[in-house]
Structure formats: C-alpha cells, structure tokens
Amino acid sequence: MALKIVKGSIDRMFDKNLQDLVRGIRNHKEDEAKYISTCIDEIKQELKQDNIAVKANAVCKLTYLQMLGYDVSWAAFNIVEVMSSSKFTYKRIGYLAASQCFHEGTDVIMLTTNQIRKDLSSPNQYDTGVALTGLSCFVTPDLARDLANDIMTLMSHTKPFIRKKAVLIMYKVFLKYPESLRPAFPRLKEKLEDPDPGVQSAAVNVICELARRNPKNYLSLAPLFFKLMTSSTNNWVLIKIIKLFGALTPLEPRLGKKLIEPLTNLIHRFLSSVIAVLISLSSGMPNHSASIQLCVQKLRILIEDSDQNLKYLGLLAMSKILKTHPKSVQSHKDLILQCLDDKDESIRLRALDLLYGMVSKKNLMEIVKKLMVHVDKAEGTTYRDELLTKIIDICSQSNYQYITNFEWYISILVELTRLEGTRHGHLIASQMLDVAIRVKAIRGFAVLQMATLLDNAHMLTGNTQRNGICEVLYAAAWICGEFSDHLEDPLQTLEAMLRPKVATLPGHIQAVYIQNAAKLFATVLRAQEGVPDSQKAQETSQLLIDRLPLFVQSANLEVQERASCVLQLVKYIQKLQQKEVAVAEEVSALFAGELNPVAPKAQKKVPIPEGLDLDAWINEPPSESESEDEKPRAVFSQEEPRHTRPRHTEVDEKELARRREARKQEQANNPFYIKASPSSQKVYPEVPGVEHIPVVQIDLSVPLKVPGMPMSDQYLKMEEERRQKEKEEKKKKEKKKKKEKRGRGRKHESGPESEEDITPAHTVDIVTEEMPENALPSDDDDKDPNDPHKALDIDLDKLVQLLVLLFPHYFAEMWWKKKHFPCSVLLMLLYLRALLSVQVYDIQGNLQDGSQVVVSVIFENKSTSFLKSMEFNVLDSLNSKLQRPDGAGPHDGLSVPFQLPPGVSNEARFVFSVQSIVMPQKLKGTLTFIVKSEESSTHEKLDFKLHFTCTSYLITTPCYSDAYAKLLESGDLKSSSVRLEGVSMSFHHLLARICFHHHFSVVERIDSCASLYSRSIQGHHVCLLVKTADQTVSIDAKCDEPSLLGNVLDEIKQTFSMC
Amino acid sequence: MQFMLLFSRQGKLRLQKWYVPLSDKEKKKITRELVQTVLARKPKMCSFLEWRDLKIVYKRYASLYFCCAIEDQDNELITLEIIHRYVELLDKYFGSVCELDIIFNFEKAYFILDEFLLGGEAQETSKKNVLKAIEQADLLQENQSEDWGGLAAEEVL
C-alpha cells in the first residue's frame, strides 16, 4: 500500500497529466508557444518510456495540443501503440487520438488493420464499440476493403449497442469501398425491421444517405418505408424517411400521390418536420394545390413567428415552393417585404430570393424603390452587392417582362453606379448595353444619360476603391459612340472621352473609348461641315490630334493600336480639310450601318442555299471497281452526282408525305388519340417592323443634368399619375357609356386594376431581333403546333387528378345548411379514407381490429368572422362509432383542436370504429361553433351527414397475376356481374377511374379486357374482370362476401352514371 | 453532418470533430473562418448561415458556441436538435456543465459525442442509452485502472 502511494508520487513527479497541462497553458497566457514547446519535449520523453500508462497520458495530452492547432503527426506510431494496449482505459485514449489525428495520408494506418480486426471481434462489447467509433473517423479504402466482412458480421451481433454502430459505419465503408454494398445490402435491409429502435433508425439513416446518391436503386424499398413512416413515432427517423421520399418521388410520380395524405398529416403533428415535408413536396411531387396551399399557410405562421430560426426556415421553404408554385407565394408579398427590414442578414438574403417571384408590372417600381432604399442603407458590401444583383435580376427577368417604363430602368441603373466598391460594374454595364440596343424607343434617353455619365466620369473613377464600377464607362462610351445621332452636344462628349484622366482606366475600357471617339468624330464632322465656318471642323480634328498621342503611348496593345490608327486617319482628314475637301460623308461611311440584336435562333434559321449539300462528296471517293486509268478525271466530273442526288430527296419527300397522311388517317380512327384543337393552327404573329414603333416623346420635365441624383422616384410618381390618368379616362368613358344607356343605379368603383390594364409607357420592340434574310417566320420551332407527336404528350397523372377534382362527392358527401347565415359561411369537405389506420393494424396481423376508418375533415372558414370552440359530434349507430377519448360519454362531442381565422382552412381527423363493412353507412352529425365578430359572438350549429361507402373500406393492394389466378381457382369466391351502357370514355380512363375511386389495382390488361384486384380492411378479396365493347362495359366480379361485392358494384355503377 | 466545432466567445477552440477527411491545414483554415463569421453575428440573429456550399447551424450555450456544418439537403432544425441533445447529454453527465468541464475533461466530451453521433449521423436518439453506455465504459475503465494499480504494485514488490 505504501509503495503504491510512493509510486503514485513518483508518477506525478515526472509526468503532468492532462489537467496539469490545461492549467499550465491557462497560466502561461503570454508565452503560450514557449510553454507548449517545453511540454512537447516532455511528452517526447514520456513516449520513449516503456510504461504504457505514461504513454497513454502523453498521447492524451497530444490530442489536446492537436486541437489547439499543433502538429502531432510525428507521434502517429505512438498512438498506434496505445491503441493496441489490452487495457480498455488506454485503448480508449488511443482510438480517440487516432480518430482526431489520423487522416487518409497517415502511413501508419496500414499497421492498424490487424489490431482493429482483433478489437472488432473482442468479447468485450466496449472494445468493439471503441474500435468502430474510431474507425468511422479514419477509415481508408484499404481498411474498408479488409474489414468490410468483419463489420458485416457485427451487423448481426447479439448486442444492439454493437449492431447500430456496425450499421452506421457500413455507410462509411460503402463510400470507401463501393464493392461491399452488394453483399451487405440484404442484411442492411433486414435491419430496417430490427426489434431495437436504435438499430432501426441507424439503418434508415444509412439507406437514406445511400438513396440520396442513387435513388433509382432504392425504389423497391418504398413500400417498406411507407409502412415505417405511418407507424413510426420517432421524429428523427420520420425526418430521414421524408428526406428519402423526397429523393424517390421525382422518379415515381405515383408515390407522390400516395404520400400526400400522410404528409399533410405530419404537418399537423409536429412543426419541426414541416420544412422537410415541404422540401420533398416541392422537389418533385405532382401538383397538389390543396396541400401546397396548406403548406404556404403554415409557412406564413412560421415567418410571422418571433423566433428568427423559424422565420429563416419559413422563408427558405417558401423559396422552394416559389419555384414550383409561384402563384401561391405571391399573395404573401407584404410579409416578404417586411422581412427585408429584418436586422438579420441571413433572413434578408432569404427574403431577397423570394422577391424574384413576387414582382408584377404593377408593383415592380415600388419593390425596386424599396430595394434601392436598402441599397443606400446597407453597410456590408456583400449584402449590398447581393441587393444589386437582385435588382437587376428582378428587372431583367423573362426578357424585361415586367418593365413598363424603360426610362425608369435606365435611371435605376445610373443610380446604381453610385455604389462604391461593388464588384458588379460589368453587370450594370451589360444591362445598359442590352437595353440601349434592344429597346429602340429608349435610345435617345439612354444616350443622354450615358453622356452625363461620361462627363462626370471622374466621380466614378476618382477613388481607386471604386474600380469595379468603372466597367459602366465601357457601356457608356459604346452607347454614346454607336448612337451618337441622339447626342445633344456631341462635341462636348467627344471632349469628355479624350480627357487625359481616361488613360488611368483599365485597357479594355480605353480601347472602347478610342473607337467610339472616332465614331463621335464622324458625327461631329457631319454637323460642322454644313456650317460655312470651316474653322470649327478643323479645330475638332486638332483636338483629336492633340489628345490621341497620349493613348498611342499606352502599354496596352489594343489601346495603342487603335489610337495610332485613329490618329493617322485624323491627320489625313485634317490634310483634306485644309484643302477644303468635304470629308464628313466618307468618314461617316466608316461607321455606317445600324447594329441590331441577333435573335437566339437566328443561326438555325439561315436557309440552306440552293444546291448546297453537305452530305455530298466534294471529291468522289476512288471507286475500287473502276481502274484509275479508265477515268483519270472522274474526280471533276460532276454530272453524275448532280443527277442522282435531287431525285433521291424527292422520293424521300414523297414518301414522307405519304406516311404523314397515313398517320393522320390512323389518328382519326384512333379513339385514344386526342386531336389538337383547331385553334392551335399555325398562326404567325405579325412581326412588328421598325417603322411601326412609335417613337416616344421624351418628357423633358425630368431633369437630366445633375448626375447621380436619384431620379427613379420621380418615375414612380409619374407612373402612378399616368396610371391614375388612364384610369380616370377609362372611368370617363365608362360614365359616358352609362349616360348613354341611362343607367340609374349608382356606378360602383372599379376594382383594383388588373395586370392587363397597365399599358406600358413605351411600346418596346424587345422581340424584333435580327433574323437572317429569308428566314422562316415560325414563332417557335420547338413548339410546332402541327407536330402530331406533341398532342400525345399528356400527363396521365394530371388527368387522374382532374377526375378527382370533378367527382369529389364520390368518396365524400357533404351537406350544409345555410339556415343561420346570409351566405354560405362554412364549407365542409369530408373525405373518407381507410388508408392509415388499416396500414398500422395490418402490420400486427390482427385483422379483427382492422375495423377502423379515419375520416379527415377539412374545415374552411369562408366567413369574415373568427370561428372558435368547434365541437364535432356524430350520432353513433350500432355498427359505426366515433372513437372518443377515455372517460367521455357516448354522446359527447370531440373538440376540434384549432380555431379558424377568416379565410383559413385546416384539417382534423377522426377515427371511427366499424364492425361490419359489408354495407354502406350514413351517420348524422353536428358541428357546433362560436362565430366571433367585432361586436358580438354567437353560437352556431351545422348539421352534416357522413357517408361511409363500401369502397372506403377497400385498400389498394397490388396482386401478381399468378397469385390472382390461384385465388380465382380456389373457388371460395361468389360471383356477380354488372353491365354499364353508354360509357363513351376510353378503356384506359375507365380503368383509371375504377382504380382511383374504388381503390383497385390493375393485375393484368389485355386489349380491352382487364383484371383488377382489391382487398377490404377485413381481408376480403375483391376481383374484377372488366371488358368493354361498343360503349358497353361489363364487369364480372368475385368476392368472398357477396353483399360487400353487391354494394361495391352498385357504387361503381353510380360513379359511371354520374359522368 | 460534415463536422462539429465547439468554441468559446473569445474564439478559442474547445472541441472539434471532423466526419470528412481533410488535411490539418484545411481544417485550421475552415475553423478560423467560421469562428470569425459566427462570432460576428449578433445574439438575436437566426442560427443558420450559408457558407461555401454548406449550411452552418450554430447555437450559443452560455459562453460556448456549438457549430455544425451540414449539407444542402440536410435539415437545419434537426441539427439544432442534435446540438441541444448533445448539450443535454453533457449536462447530465457532468451535472450542469460549464466550459471548464469541457476544457479539463475534453476526452470525456469526445466519448459522449462519439456515443451519440457516429460518422456524422445520429446513432442513438435515446439520452438514457447514451449515458448508460458511457457510464458502463467508465466503470470498466476505473476497474481496470485499479487492477492495473494493484498489479503494478506487485511488480514493484
């Protein structure tokens, strides 16, 4: 005992433990580096000792130093030594150090393979656990290959502690050594149904991550995951599964349809997974406006929340919905604009993303004005740059669709040039060029603005920090030069472009300056030559000759070359001028011709010149049969190919026409083929020519002189006034009409103006882009309405959805009375579905309890008052009972767990227990609620009936044809049949309708005959054989319960009698 | 999850766990950049950042920042939940944890983290199970050190 104490003190004498080290570092704040280097020396000493305890202590300290940023790679071998200690205490430290310090390049890793294998098979589960944890951090392809088998065995370890670790680490192994995936996958799949929830969630995790990389291969697991999703209560697992479905739904549209219901359900259950749900929703589920609407409403609540995190996530999810359903997000513009004022930059950036989809012709100016205010206020350059790009994005989106006044846009661009230190000068410049070139009506205005910019170039270039913005001068110089006819005082602009200060600009900008100075010079000459005083023209030439040498000396080759070219030209002109020769005409000719934008499809439209055949041989290949001696000049004889070629194509064309005709014939006889409507005939819109564009008088009430003054606001005001005026005019007109008609009733105010009412201030020819001569004037090649194949491209899913929308009453019936209300205050939609609870009971194999029906009810408040304290009650029948909580009497109502503000809808679910499912049922119920308006609140009641059809007890169950055949052969089934007359829909649609409304699945289909299968929640098999001929459909059905079958057939009959 | 960092208000790193193989140099660069960005944010701001092509989720508990980097498709809220769960675990283990606990017992903090997350994925969602595993491993460790102490004494004798 005494010795032990002595030993302890000896230990402490020569080694500091981790605590001492930490304390030491904290005490040596000033000379930390020096202290640590002495510590490292000590550690090196300790590592040289044989005592494993000392070594472990040293390694532990090294791990700490590694975190502080010191290099400890030299101790890698010592770490391996500690890892291989037989004592768990040291092994644990060794593996920790390894997991922190080792990476793929660490060479000692290859020494560890056997040690790790030993630890993995250790009888002590903690040794195994520590090895697995460590391995997860430093697994290399070699380790993965060598140890994959050992880890795979551990996946079936008796202890769940090991199993879950083994399952998780398999993911890392798959990444490093993909060959292991195939043999391990069956076992991994097995683990999805592991009795231990930890192992199960680990398996879900791994498969989700795998599926994200290659979703196609995991489609077959969808039913299993669907089951897990509806049964699992672990939110962590649920979120992973939802993520998995997010990856799967784009590949299998049918899955999306199935998911809508459980997903909508999950939105109500817990807020946190709302986001995940939405992401998967918007990333590939078929359009389902109801659930999207619900999501957007929920998101609004999130965004309005005071919690910044929820606000952020709400906006993020909103932007995902925006991509697929822009309409539903637009109504929340107010909220998004509000978020722009948020203190948090992350939130502001998210709100900016959303703005993109919110603009319309009506609100563009207003939104951009708001953004401009933010630009002024923004302190960080990143955020300001982001704002700038967003403004330009928003304005230029879909070919400037929302811009009604381009003068305003140019002023906005000019205002943006005042931004200091932005990186996006080139973006502004390209916008200026684009608008000035493509919008002819605006050129005059743009040129004047650019001239002011050039004149005040020193404001942009004065500060070296503003470098990014001088790109704008590139655009300004080019626009002024190219469209110099519009300049008020070209000479002044010319002078501004040749200031010595220009030489400090980047080379490519100087080059443009010089080229365009030459263009300006031509314009100036033209103006001055008409004047009798020829002195002026000579002065202009002299100006160029004086200024250009500066640029000839430029280090930039392009600048130098252009400058000396222009200089020589001007010198020559001056010579001519002195001889009093008129040169303006000829100089202008140098720059004649207008530059027009080229349409993106122009290249494609270039007609192939007659006689050009790119497939023809230029030189006939030497034929082998003919000897060269016989026809030495065959190469040049063109007669033969000329004869054969055209004839060949002619035959082709004839053949094509014949085939086209045959196809049309076939389509006419084909009932499945949906013909294109006659209105979609090829009609070419008249392309407006240049002369049709009204040149707009520029309103000179707008001051242009002061550069950099915010002028865009005035446009906003002007625009408002203009719209007001237009409105008034329209009103006047209407009044006139009214008077003529002698209408007596007071005219009501015209509602808010619609998009169409806003006429653009400029008629803008942003569509007349240059096309090659003789180009065919088709509007869009890709969407040729005559293309017969186009019409076939119909989304069947959409069609089925449409059918549901048209016949919702079939699985839901609703009645509402309007006794107490002037107009329909509340609309209730009741959906009956037996899907969910049955799925759950199915798992447990207890079919006696499979007698539950879940009723989802959507409550929508259509009034303008607040509805609260809703209570849902149903008069139970002997067969069907509403499941009430324990302790509630049989006549008590269930309170609906939410209140409804005006215009809001929400969904609640009620569970019914049903004993016999062979007969349809109707239950009477009432909904009581309180209507709260500003002055009073009243109690109201609404009666309704719930209709449980026999169909609602059926679950869509897939069935293989051989199992189906066996079922029919067994002879236990009673048969019955029904005939439907006058059904004109196609067989395909007929089947789709039966499957959708009555929960059947198609087993096999041959021509106009198909077999269908479904199963009731209590396990009855229902088989249908559907045949069709001459608008008559006959259904032969078999089922082990004749009355259920009779009722289902009646319901099917009813479905078709309604159409 | 790609990595997890714990650092103090002064920007001192207290714990780091990398689930993607990176060189030391890169790790240092990322850490420096992230610590700066996160510390620059004001307390009332939201917990999410977009950084390079990753999403950063961070939360401050007392003087410590817990900061995780996740990929684009990962869920932010569940990451916050993971951070919170880890703090709860530390709290349970150390008994109202403070920064000093983590500084002086940094290996324990790692052991708990390793028991909770593996390869960047949550391996055990039950707090009870994680703590049980840690306690048992600790027990094993203490027993062994005693055995070893005894053995060593005998050897010396």
Side-chain angles (χ1 to χ4, degrees):
Chain A
M1 195 60 201
L3 255 176
K4 210 171 163 183
I5 295 164
V6 171
K7 167 137 204 323
S9 60
I10 292 171
D11 272 354
R12 215 161 289 142
M13 256 169 61
F14 61 89
D15 52 76
K16 278 190 202 107
N17 63 15
L18 178 67
Q19 270 80 7
D20 300 328
L21 175 77
V22 175
R23 217 167 278 136
I25 294 175
R26 291 168 73 84
N27 289 337
H28 292 77
K29 285 228 164 80
E30 313 80 46
D31 52 347
E32 195 184 287
K34 198 176 144 208
Y35 177 75
I36 286 177
S37 74
T38 55
C39 286
I40 288 183
D41 287 341
E42 278 169 27
I43 290 169
K44 279 183 179 160
Q45 288 304 317
E46 285 164 25
L47 287 174
K48 280 184 188 144
Q49 298 194 22
D50 285 334
N51 190 331
I52 191 75
V54 179
K55 265 189 195 162
N57 187 28
V59 164
C60 188
K61 287 191 280 185
L62 278 179
T63 317
Y64 188 80
L65 293 178
Q66 190 267 345
M67 185 175 71
L68 294 183
Y70 293 91
D71 177 37
V72 299
S73 53
W74 48 269
F77 186 74
N78 302 102
I79 293 175
V80 176
E81 275 184 314
V82 178
M83 272 165 75
S84 51
S85 154
S86 58
K87 301 280 186 289
F88 177 68
T89 319
Y90 309 134
K91 192 184 284 302
R92 204 182 185 188
I93 289 171
Y95 271 104
L96 175 64
S99 69
Q100 294 299 109
C101 311
F102 286 6
H103 48 86
E104 296 215 333
T106 311
D107 43 6
V108 293
I109 282 190
M110 56 188 191
L111 301 176
T112 58
T113 316
N114 278 325
Q115 180 58 40
I116 295 173
R117 181 172 287 146
K118 215 176 97 193
D119 289 334
L120 287 181
S121 55
S122 155
N124 181 342
Q125 60 163 327
Y126 293 102
D127 281 350
T128 317
V130 142
L132 283 173
T133 316
L135 192 59
S136 74
C137 291
F138 58 81
V139 61
T140 61
D142 284 346
L143 279 179
R145 189 193 58 227
D146 296 341
L147 296 172
N149 254 329
D150 304 72
I151 300 172
M152 217 155 86
T153 330
L154 288 179
M155 280 166 74
S156 324
H157 198 272
T158 50
K159 297 264 175 33
F161 174 78
I162 299 299
R163 283 208 303 272
K164 70 177 186 225
K165 279 181 196 276
V167 169
L168 274 179
I169 203 176
M170 270 326 260
Y171 177 60
K172 293 270 164 183
V173 173
F174 295 150
L175 290 186
K176 300 284 176 197
Y177 180 58
E179 285 90 333
S180 60
L181 179 58
R182 196 170 288 274
F185 192 70
R187 198 169 283 182
L188 188 62
K189 198 173 142 192
E190 220 174 85
K191 295 297 143 204
L192 282 177
E193 289 172 300
D194 196 279
D196 182 86
V199 181
Q200 202 182 39
S201 91
V204 171
N205 266 340
V206 171
I207 292 186
C208 283
E209 292 306 310
L210 287 172
R212 217 177 69 195
R213 279 156 205 267
N214 186 8
K216 203 168 71 244
N217 295 350
Y218 300 88
L219 263 180
S220 62
L221 291 177
L224 190 57
F225 276 106
F226 193 78
K227 207 164 78 183
L228 276 177
M229 178 162 83
T230 45
S231 62
S232 175
T233 50
N234 184 339
N235 293 358
W236 304 71
V237 172
L238 272 174
I239 287 176
K240 280 283 173 184
I241 296 179
I242 291 166
K243 191 168 144 189
L244 175 89
F245 278 127
L248 293 185
T249 38
L251 300 170
E252 179 54 277
R254 279 176 298 176
L255 201 58
K257 218 184 299 158
K258 244 191 137 177
L259 282 171
I260 287 170
E261 195 187 302
L263 281 181
T264 332
N265 211 11
L266 288 173
I267 295 182
H268 296 298
R269 260 187 50 204
F270 43 88
L271 211 59
S272 70
S273 76
V274 169
I275 307 308
V277 177
L278 284 168
I279 288 164
S280 66
L281 251 180
S282 46
S283 69
M285 284 204 1
N287 308 337
H288 195 272
S289 53
S291 42
I292 289 288
Q293 209 52 50
L294 185 65
C295 292
V296 175
Q297 275 166 18
K298 288 265 164 195
L299 283 178
R300 190 180 167 102
I301 298 170
L302 281 190
I303 298 172
E304 279 169 342
D305 202 289
S306 59
D307 186 321
Q308 295 287 75
N309 289 343
L310 293 184
K311 193 175 274 215
Y312 177 90
L313 293 176
L315 289 169
L316 189 68
M318 203 72 123
S319 67
K320 291 207 161 112
I321 293 188
L322 182 70
K323 279 182 205 136
T324 47
H325 301 81
K327 277 266 160 55
S328 42
V329 183
Q330 262 155 14
S331 53
H332 302 285
K333 197 189 90 199
D334 53 324
L335 194 63
I336 310 295
L337 283 176
Q338 214 176 305
C339 288
L340 274 185
D341 295 323
D342 201 283
K343 278 193 222 76
D344 191 342
E345 193 177 298
S346 292
I347 287 177
R348 288 198 304 257
L349 285 174
R350 290 287 81 76
L352 269 183
D353 286 346
L354 278 167
L355 268 187
Y356 185 77
M358 308 242 134
V359 288
S360 64
K361 278 184 183 159
K362 212 165 81 186
N363 62 19
L364 176 76
M365 284 187 170
E366 196 188 320
I367 288 183
V368 171
K369 185 187 166 194
K370 208 161 171 160
L371 291 179
M372 291 299 285
V373 173
H374 281 282
V375 169
D376 286 339
K377 278 195 296 190
E379 59 273 15
T381 40
T382 27
Y383 178 60
R384 215 182 44 191
D385 281 1
E386 191 66 29
L387 272 169
L388 192 155
T389 42
K390 270 283 139 41
I391 290 176
I392 289 179
D393 272 0
I394 287 173
C395 291
S396 63
Q397 69 173 311
S398 27
N399 213 7
Y400 306 102
Q401 188 192 345
Y402 298 117
I403 294 185
T404 50
N405 187 336
F406 276 90
E407 284 185 21
W408 164 81
Y409 187 46
I410 292 277
S411 334
I412 286 284
L413 289 174
V414 171
E415 269 175 49
L416 286 175
T417 60
R418 286 179 298 130
L419 286 188
E420 274 182 51
T422 179
R423 287 180 291 116
H424 295 297
H426 62 276
L427 199 63
I428 303 177
S430 70
Q431 283 290 301
M432 286 173 169
L433 286 172
D434 199 35
V435 172
I437 295 171
R438 292 172 62 189
V439 187
K440 279 201 178 121
I442 200 68
R443 279 181 195 164
F445 179 77
V447 167
L448 292 177
Q449 288 287 313
M450 295 304 123
T452 5
L453 259 185
L454 284 179
D455 210 23
N456 296 284
H458 58 278
M459 304 221 347
L460 301 177
T461 53
N463 193 335
T464 42
Q465 262 194 334
R466 290 175 171 184
N467 257 343
I469 206 69
C470 62
E471 288 291 327
V472 174
L473 293 176
Y474 178 100
W478 189 87
I479 291 170
C480 284
E482 182 66 25
F483 307 116
S484 49
D485 296 340
H486 296 281
L487 278 173
E488 277 179 339
D489 187 357
L491 187 59
Q492 191 196 341
T493 312
L494 180 62
E495 200 272 331
M497 279 168 81
L498 293 170
R499 283 179 198 150
K501 196 116 205 235
V502 172
T504 58
L505 289 173
H508 65 286
I509 298 179
Q510 286 184 54
V512 167
Y513 262 71
I514 290 165
Q515 187 73 15
N516 286 289
K519 289 184 202 166
L520 270 179
F521 175 62
T523 317
V524 173
L525 271 189
R526 225 177 20 218
Q528 287 173 341
E529 259 183 17
V531 185
D533 181 12
S534 68
Q535 202 53 39
K536 266 202 173 152
Q538 288 195 30
E539 274 169 23
T540 315
S541 308
Q542 194 53 47
L543 174 75
L544 260 77
I545 292 169
D546 290 345
R547 299 280 176 86
L548 280 173
L550 176 67
F551 298 100
V552 176
Q553 294 161 13
S554 170
N556 187 303
L557 281 181
E558 185 72 25
V559 178
Q560 191 196 29
E561 195 177 348
R562 287 191 190 190
S564 61
C565 245
V566 174
L567 184 61
Q568 293 312 316
L569 183 73
V570 177
K571 277 183 180 160
Y572 182 66
I573 289 170
Q574 202 185 27
K575 235 185 250 169
L576 290 176
Q577 278 173 336
Q578 280 157 2
K579 290 180 195 159
E580 309 221 343
V581 182
V583 282
E585 199 79 5
E586 282 165 52
V587 177
S588 304
L590 282 177
F591 306 107
E594 192 177 5
L595 183 82
N596 281 325
V598 176
K601 287 202 194 88
Q603 177 67 44
K604 228 165 59 184
K605 300 273 168 101
V606 177
I608 298 169
E610 226 170 305
L612 174 73
D613 185 353
L614 292 174
D615 294 330
W617 289 100
I618 298 173
N619 295 328
E620 277 297 304
S623 72
E624 278 156 37
S625 59
E626 289 164 304
S627 77
E628 272 183 50
D629 305 309
E630 277 176 38
K631 275 188 175 177
R633 302 255 156 101
V635 180
F636 297 105
S637 76
Q638 293 180 333
E639 278 155 70
E640 270 194 4
R642 212 186 257 166
H643 275 294
T644 50
R645 238 8 207 175
R647 203 189 296 151
H648 183 61
T649 46
E650 209 173 44
V651 168
D652 253 8
E653 254 158 31
K654 255 185 206 163
E655 172 71 11
L656 269 180
R658 196 184 60 75
R659 281 188 205 150
R660 203 173 292 141
E661 201 48 48
R663 190 165 60 217
K664 268 189 195 152
Q665 201 66 37
E666 201 181 302
Q667 282 163 1
N669 295 334
N670 188 346
F672 293 113
Y673 184 77
I674 298 170
K675 290 158 199 95
S677 63
S679 63
S680 65
Q681 285 293 317
K682 211 169 190 170
V683 180
Y684 301 127
E686 211 171 290
V687 182
V690 184
E691 52 282 342
H692 296 157
I693 302 151
V695 177
V696 176
Q697 209 71 48
I698 297 163
D699 189 351
L700 288 175
S701 61
V702 184
L704 303 173
K705 303 285 181 268
V706 193
M709 281 293 286
M711 301 189 302
S712 51
D713 293 357
Q714 290 166 3
Y715 285 101
L716 187 58
K717 227 179 267 166
M718 276 166 52
E719 180 73 12
E720 271 161 14
E721 277 163 19
R722 191 175 68 82
R723 277 182 203 167
Q724 193 63 33
K725 220 184 274 170
E726 261 168 32
K727 222 198 242 169
E728 272 161 19
E729 267 166 31
K730 212 179 278 170
K731 234 187 258 171
K732 259 185 224 159
K733 265 187 211 160
E734 267 173 53
K735 263 187 195 155
K736 243 184 221 166
K737 266 187 210 160
K738 273 266 155 90
K739 269 183 197 159
E740 280 162 19
K741 278 188 191 169
R742 276 181 236 143
R744 272 177 296 148
R746 249 199 46 168
K747 210 183 81 66
H748 51 82
E749 279 291 301
S750 56
E753 45 192 334
S754 66
E755 278 286 274
E756 286 80 7
D757 292 340
I758 303 168
T759 47
H762 299 153
T763 317
V764 159
D765 67 328
I766 39 184
V767 274
T768 43
E769 286 155 326
E770 198 141 274
M771 282 290 193
E773 288 164 40
N774 312 329
L776 300 168
S778 82
D779 48 5
D780 193 341
D781 293 15
D782 307 329
K783 287 183 200 154
D784 188 350
N786 272 2
D787 182 1
H789 304 289
K790 195 73 198 167
L792 281 175
D793 189 18
I794 298 163
D795 192 346
L796 279 177
D797 284 315
K798 288 242 173 77
L799 204 68
V800 174
Q801 274 177 24
L802 196 74
L803 291 174
V804 184
L805 287 176
L806 289 175
F807 305 98
H809 359 9
Y810 207 69
F811 47 111
E813 267 190 51
M814 56 177 195
W815 283 264
W816 68 92
K817 290 181 180 171
K818 301 180 225 166
K819 224 170 29 187
H820 300 293
F821 308 113
C823 56
S824 74
V825 167
L826 194 79
L827 169 71
M828 286 180 57
L829 288 169
L830 305 175
Y831 291 110
L832 294 193
R833 284 191 202 173
L835 253 177
L836 264 186
S837 61
V838 171
Q839 285 265 356
V840 175
Y841 283 93
D842 215 351
I843 299 165
Q844 296 169 351
N846 190 352
L847 284 171
Q848 267 76 34
D849 265 59
S851 53
Q852 286 196 339
V853 177
V854 177
V855 180
S856 306
V857 185
I858 291 181
F859 298 90
E860 185 180 356
N861 184 354
K862 294 213 149 179
S863 73
T864 51
S865 316
F866 197 87
L867 303 185
K868 56 181 231 175
S869 308
M870 286 186 277
E871 220 172 72
F872 180 91
N873 201 2
V874 171
L875 210 59
D876 291 348
S877 71
L878 274 178
N879 191 30
S880 315
K881 292 185 174 62
L882 175 63
Q883 287 201 349
R884 299 176 168 87
D886 294 336
H891 303 296
D892 292 349
L894 291 181
S895 66
V896 180
F898 47 77
Q899 303 182 335
L900 286 180
V904 170
S905 64
N906 206 338
E907 187 189 293
R909 327 180 90 229
F910 302 96
V911 181
F912 287 78
S913 57
V914 185
Q915 276 186 341
S916 161
I917 60 160
V918 300
M919 299 283 273
Q921 282 261 344
K922 275 184 190 169
L923 293 183
K924 281 187 179 172
T926 42
L927 182 82
T928 55
F929 53 94
I930 294 174
V931 183
K932 216 180 153 204
S933 56
E934 272 167 31
E935 55 275 5
S936 66
S937 60
T938 48
H939 228 92
E940 299 292 355
K941 195 179 106 179
L942 190 75
D943 293 335
F944 60 87
K945 279 184 193 170
L946 278 175
H947 191 178
F948 290 80
T949 58
C950 280
T951 294
S952 58
Y953 302 128
L954 296 182
I955 327 157
T956 315
T957 321
C959 183
Y960 292 110
S961 53
D962 43 347
Y964 188 79
K966 230 176 248 171
L967 191 67
L968 288 180
E969 279 165 15
S970 68
D972 303 335
L973 307 181
K974 316 279 184 297
S975 63
S976 173
S977 59
V978 68
R979 278 173 79 83
L980 308 169
E981 303 281 349
V983 179
S984 54
M985 69 177 76
S986 74
F987 191 55
H988 187 87
H989 294 169
L990 178 106
L991 286 184
R993 182 170 285 193
I994 294 178
C995 287
F996 192 82
H997 290 291
H998 300 285
H999 310 170
F1000 278 89
S1001 61
V1002 177
V1003 180
E1004 210 171 3
R1005 178 184 161 188
I1006 303 157
D1007 299 330
S1008 59
C1009 176
S1011 48
L1012 285 75
Y1013 176 79
S1014 182
R1015 227 173 81 146
S1016 81
I1017 54 172
Q1018 292 180 356
H1020 305 294
H1021 304 285
V1022 187
C1023 307
L1024 299 185
L1025 181 69
V1026 184
K1027 286 182 209 159
T1028 178
D1030 304 331
Q1031 303 212 334
T1032 308
V1033 179
S1034 68
I1035 302 177
D1036 294 312
K1038 283 190 171 185
C1039 174
D1040 35 13
E1041 178 53 66
S1043 49
L1044 173 69
L1045 182 62
N1047 287 318
V1048 169
L1049 287 182
D1050 283 348
E1051 284 163 19
I1052 294 179
K1053 215 167 165 180
Q1054 210 179 333
T1055 312
F1056 288 96
S1057 70
M1058 288 196 315
C1059 56
Chain B
M1 189 186 294
Q2 303 242 346
F3 56 86
M4 187 183 209
L5 301 174
L6 260 70
F7 50 87
S8 68
R9 225 163 21 161
Q10 291 77 34
K12 281 246 163 59
L13 198 60
R14 295 299 179 211
L15 199 113
Q16 53 168 354
K17 192 85 195 173
W18 301 81
Y19 297 110
V20 282
L22 289 173
S23 72
D24 282 348
K25 207 172 138 198
E26 246 171 301
K27 284 182 189 173
K28 263 190 222 166
K29 197 173 154 229
I30 292 175
T31 314
R32 206 179 322 119
E33 225 172 285
L34 265 186
V35 168
Q36 265 174 13
T37 335
V38 171
L39 287 178
R41 289 174 63 84
K42 299 198 180 76
K44 277 268 170 82
M45 292 185 169
C46 70
S47 301
F48 314 115
L49 278 180
E50 273 181 14
W51 182 79
R52 299 195 191 170
D53 54 343
L54 296 176
K55 294 196 285 197
I56 304 296
V57 179
Y58 74 92
K59 192 156 170 70
R60 188 179 147 180
Y61 286 89
S63 58
L64 267 186
Y65 283 88
F66 290 69
C67 176
C68 293
I70 53 173
E71 278 155 64
D72 190 39
Q73 297 109 320
D74 289 328
N75 187 315
E76 293 92 345
L77 280 182
I78 203 119
T79 315
L80 267 186
E81 192 61 32
I82 286 176
I83 293 178
H84 186 71
R85 183 59 62 95
Y86 180 49
V87 174
E88 281 180 332
L89 286 169
L90 290 172
D91 208 49
K92 274 254 170 65
Y93 183 83
F94 289 110
S96 82
V97 68
C98 67
E99 195 183 337
L100 284 181
D101 284 324
I102 296 173
I103 299 173
F104 283 105
N105 298 290
F106 91 115
E107 84 278 19
K108 297 277 195 232
Y110 275 121
F111 293 148
I112 297 173
L113 185 61
D114 285 341
E115 212 51 62
F116 175 48
L117 298 175
L118 195 135
E121 298 288 336
Q123 69 162 307
E124 182 58 71
T125 54
S126 145
K127 265 185 278 184
K128 223 169 66 193
N129 284 357
V130 175
L131 288 173
K132 212 171 76 190
I134 291 287
E135 265 163 37
Q136 277 171 354
D138 281 352
L139 212 62
L140 196 66
Q141 178 171 340
E142 262 138 43
N143 285 342
Q144 277 190 350
S145 353
E146 270 166 36
D147 288 351
W148 180 81
L151 266 175
E154 276 164 34
E155 270 171 32
V156 174
L157 273 172

